[in-house]
Amino acid sequence: MDEAARRERLGELAPDKLAELEADDQEDEHVLPDLPNAEDGAVVMRAAPNPNGPWHVGHARMPAVIGTYKERYDGEFVCRFDDTDPETKRPDLDAYDAILEDIAYLGFEPDRVLRASDRLETYYDHARELIDAGGAYTCSCSGDEFSELKNAGEPCPHRDKDAETVREEFAAMVDGEYSAGEMVLRVRTDIGHKNPALRDWVAFRMIDTPHPREEAADHRCWPMLDFQSGVDDHLTGVTHIIRGIDLQDSAKRQRFVYDYFDWEYPEVLHWGHVQVDEYDVKLSTSTIKGLIEDGELTGWDDPRAPTIQSMRRRGIQGQALVDSMTELGMSTSDVDLAMSSVYANNRDLVDDAANRYFFVRDRDDAPAVELPIVDGDAPAPEAGHPPLHPDHEDRGDREVPAGRVLVESPDLPSEGERVWLKGYGCVRYEGDALAFVDADIEVVREGDVDVVHWAPAAEGLDTLLRTVDGDVRGVAEPALADVDPDTVVQFVRVGFGRIDGFDPAATDEADGPNGSEDLLAYYAHP
RNA sequence: GCUCUGGUGGUGUAGUCCGGCCAAUCAUAUCACCCUCUCACGGUGAUGACCUGGGUUCAAAUCCCAGCCGGAGCACCA
C-alpha cells in the first residue's frame, strides 16, 4: 500500500486521525518558525541591501526568507537600497538593477523599491525634529577624542550646546558648509550606558565625495545606517526586521530615536552569518570585486564565483537556492551552507525536465580517445539512438553518428574486453578500433560490461564546459546543436549543466580560450 | 576591557519555553545493496550528535550553577 492509499484507508477508518495527520503535514511545510506577533495581511518586511555590487549566494537568504514569510502571511516585501555611503561602500550604479534581477531570479518581486539616497530631505526633517526634542547635538570632536571620552562614560563639551546653536550648525551641515570630519550630529542617548556601543552615536556626518547617483550628488551631509534605517523602517510601516547579528546593537541604538518620536519599534530577528563550503573565495562583495579586477575571475557570473549570477548561469534554479536558504532556519549562530544541499535541491527541480546528452571530456589526466567502430561479430550500425530522457520515452531520441567515436580514456576497457556504448551497442576494444559485437542488452543486464557515454569524432561539437574547478574541453554529441541556449541538460555520467551558447560559425581551426568553440556550456553539479 | 549572543551527527534542522512518550526528528552527506543501457532519478539499509563538569529530580538535550569554546558590537562602513 502506498502513502496515498494508506491515507485513503485511514480516512475511512478514522477521519479525525487523518485530519490530525494532515494538520501535522501543514506544520511540516513551514520550514521557518512563525514570526512573532505576525498578523495575516499586516506583515511588512524589508531587504535593505547596499548596492555596492551584485549579490553573492549568502545574500539570497534575505529575499528567500522574506519572500517565504510574505507568502505565508500575505505580507509585503520592501526592497530599500541603503545607499547612504558615497565613499567607503560606494554604490555601484549597475548594482541597483543587478540586485533586483538577482531577486527576480530567486522568484520574488518586491512590492516597493526605495532608495535611501532619494530620501535625504526626509532624514533631515526628522533630524530637525529630533534636535527640537533635545535628542541630538552637533559635535566637532575628532573620532579619537570622542571615543576616549565615550569609553570613559564622559560627555563631550558639545553635549550641552544650546538648541539654537545645534539647529544652526545642523543647517550648515545640510548646506554642506563643513568638510568631512569637521562636524557630526549625534543622538543624545545615555553617555554612561553600560554598553559602550550605545553611547551617543553618530546620526549624520559630512562626506566630501559626491554620491554616484546624479539625483543625490549635491548632498554632503549623509545619515548613518542606524538613523536612516530606523526612520525608514517606521515610515514604511515595517513590522518585522530581519538582520544579521552584526547589527545586534542597532535596535538598541535606534530605540533611543524611537523613544524621542514616541514610535513603536518593530519586531526584530537576528541571524548568524552564512558561510558556504566549497569556495575558497571569501563571501564578500568587495573581495569578489577585487578578484574580478585582478582577472582571477572573468566576471560576476564566472562559474567559480560564489555569486547569484554564477548560480544562474550554471543553470541552478533560484528556487533551489531559496529552498536551501529557508532550510537554514533563523538561528542566531553562524551557519555553513553546504553547496551539496543546493545541488540536491536543484537536482530535485531539474532532473525531470533535463534531457540527456553525451559529452566526452578531454582532460590532460584523462584524454579522450578516438577510435573507429568497425564491423565485428556483426555489421556495425551507423548511429546510436539513445532516448532524450530515460523516464520519458515520449520525448523521442537523439541520433548519434558512429563512424569514428571518442570515449574517455578511463572508460576504455583492457584490450580484448568489451564495453557498451550507451544507446548504441556492445563493442570490443581491439587496440586500434572498436569492433561491433551486438546490440543484445542482456550483457548489460547481467553486469558483464560497463556502460559508457561516447561522442562522434567528426560530427561532434567542440565544447567548452566551464566548471567550478576550471574549464573542461571536450566533444559533445551533435544533437545539442538544436538545443536552445539557457536550457538545462544532463551530460550523461558527467552531470547537469546549462547550455550557454551555440556558435555554428565556429571553425575547427579557431580553437582559442574564448569564442572558438562550437558549444559553450556551464556545469552545475553531478 | 565593556556589552550582547550562541553551543544537537560532516552540514543544516526538530525537540529546549511547560523535564518523562528523545537509547533524540527530518533533510543532506558518505558507504553498501536493489533498480537501471548514466556515476542521474527511484527504492532499501548502514554510518553518525545533545560542549564539559557538578547540582536538583524517581526521571535532564530540556531546569540551576560553574567552566570551556565560538560569534558579534563598542566606526564620521553597511
Side-chain angles (χ1 to χ4, degrees), chain A residues 1-15 18:
Chain A
M1 205 187 299
D2 67 6
E3 179 68 19
R6 219 172 8 233
R7 294 218 165 185
E8 197 174 325
R9 187 102 177 98
L10 184 61
E12 287 162 17
L13 295 171
L18 180 67

Side-chain angles (χ1 to χ4, degrees), chain A residues 86 90 117-118 120 207-222:
Chain A
R90 189 174 170 78
S117 54
D118 282 333
L120 272 288
I207 293 177
D208 298 333
T209 313
H211 196 280
R213 289 186 68 226
E214 221 173 281
E215 301 89 323
D218 290 339
H219 295 290
R220 292 294 175 273
C221 175
W222 286 90

Side-chain angles (χ1 to χ4, degrees), chain A residues 12-86:
Chain A
E12 287 162 17
L13 295 171
D16 51 327
K17 288 279 183 199
L18 180 67
E20 207 175 285
L21 195 66
E22 276 166 359
D24 282 351
D25 285 355
Q26 290 271 315
E27 270 326 93
D28 291 346
E29 282 170 24
H30 290 183
V31 185
L32 293 172
D34 286 333
L35 242 23
N37 292 312
E39 220 179 286
D40 275 350
V43 170
V44 180
M45 286 159 300
R46 88 298 198 273
N50 175 25
N52 62 338
W55 273 358
H56 57 66
V57 286
H59 287 295
R61 194 180 191 185
M62 190 62 85
V65 167
I66 290 182
T68 302
Y69 279 131
K70 173 194 154 116
E71 281 158 21
R72 187 185 311 177
Y73 292 109
D74 185 26
E76 194 174 340
F77 177 172
V78 178
C79 177
R80 185 187 70 222
F81 291 104
D82 282 357
D83 54 349
T84 56
D85 175 13

Side-chain angles (χ1 to χ4, degrees), chain A residues 78 94 107 112 144 148 211 234 301 313 416 442 502 504 509-510:
Chain A
V78 178
D94 296 330
R112 275 187 282 169
D144 288 346
E148 214 163 288
H211 196 280
H234 179 264
D301 57 359
R313 193 143 193 198
E442 213 42 47
F502 176 69
E509 295 92 322

Side-chain angles (χ1 to χ4, degrees), chain A residues 269-325:
Chain A
L269 291 94
H270 293 106
W271 59 29
H273 297 284
V274 185
Q275 300 291 325
V276 181
D277 67 355
E278 202 158 304
Y279 288 105
D280 300 335
V281 181
K282 193 180 146 212
L283 223 53
S284 124
T285 305
S286 50
T287 306
I288 300 166
K289 191 177 273 180
L291 290 169
I292 293 169
E293 278 161 11
D294 297 346
E296 302 270 332
L297 297 172
T298 55
W300 291 94
D301 57 359
D302 188 298
R304 294 162 298 181
T307 57
I308 307 260
Q309 290 186 15
S310 170
M311 299 295 129
R312 181 181 189 173
R313 193 143 193 198
R314 288 165 58 190
I316 291 167
Q317 309 296 295
Q319 185 64 46
L321 221 40
V322 169
D323 290 345
S324 293
M325 284 299 176

